[in-house]
Structures are given as C-alpha cells and as structure tokens.
Amino acid sequence: MPRSYSNRFLLTLSKPDAIMTGQALAKLCVEANLPASYVCKVFNISRMALHTWFRGGPIRPKRMQLVDAFMSLVEKDMKAGLLPARNLVEAKNYIEDMIRED
C-alpha cells in the first residue's frame, strides 16, 4: 500500500528554491494526489530514484523528455478536473491508464 508524503518532505517543497525539474515534479504529484509508488511505474524506476529526483537529484537526459510529457499531461488533467485523485484507487487507475496509452 502506498505511503503518503511525509510532512517533512512537504515542508521542503514549500521553500521558494524548489525550482528544479524533479522538485517541480514532486509538487505536481502532491497537488495531483499521485503517490510516488505509482508514479515511479510511469518512469520504470525505483521509488528511491524518484525520491532522489524529488529532492533535486539529477534526471538523466533520456528520461527528461518523459518527465516533461508526464508533467504536461498531469497539469492538463488537473485543469480539466480529472485530478487530483480523490483516493488511491483513482490514482492507481489514472497511472495504469497512462501507462497503457504509451
């Protein structure tokens, strides 16, 4: 079962210096209510690698295009009212549908 984001992690995202792509991805996932354990399946990476990105770690150039596309899609779906996910089942279905479309 996916764990929610910790309060300590959420506080680091509220700082004004959180402008790197991975940190922007983290903010978007929190706003969209998409757990990291589901999001890492989109990128085919471990949760640990995703959390490294979330904390400002480097994202390899070959993955950057996928990250940008994911962020654009999530932002579009948030504007359309499809997100934030209201529960874990909705979040899981959203991610699975996204993976299936690729």
Side-chain angles (χ1 to χ4, degrees), residues 15-56:
K15 293 181 181 176
D17 64 343
I19 56 170
M20 299 190 69
T21 301
Q23 293 167 322
L25 174 63
K27 283 185 175 184
L28 190 61
C29 289
V30 169
E31 290 172 12
N33 199 24
L34 297 173
S37 60
Y38 296 162
V39 175
C40 66
K41 293 177 183 179
V42 172
F43 303 115
N44 196 27
I45 59 173
S46 69
R47 252 188 27 217
M48 188 169 153
L50 185 63
H51 280 286
T52 299
W53 292 359
F54 283 0
R55 287 180 167 76

Side-chain angles (χ1 to χ4, degrees), residues 15 27 51 55 60 63 65 71 77 88:
K15 293 181 181 176
K27 283 185 175 184
H51 280 286
R55 287 180 167 76
R60 292 184 181 180
R63 296 223 192 253
Q65 186 176 4
M71 289 175 65
D77 287 346
L88 291 175

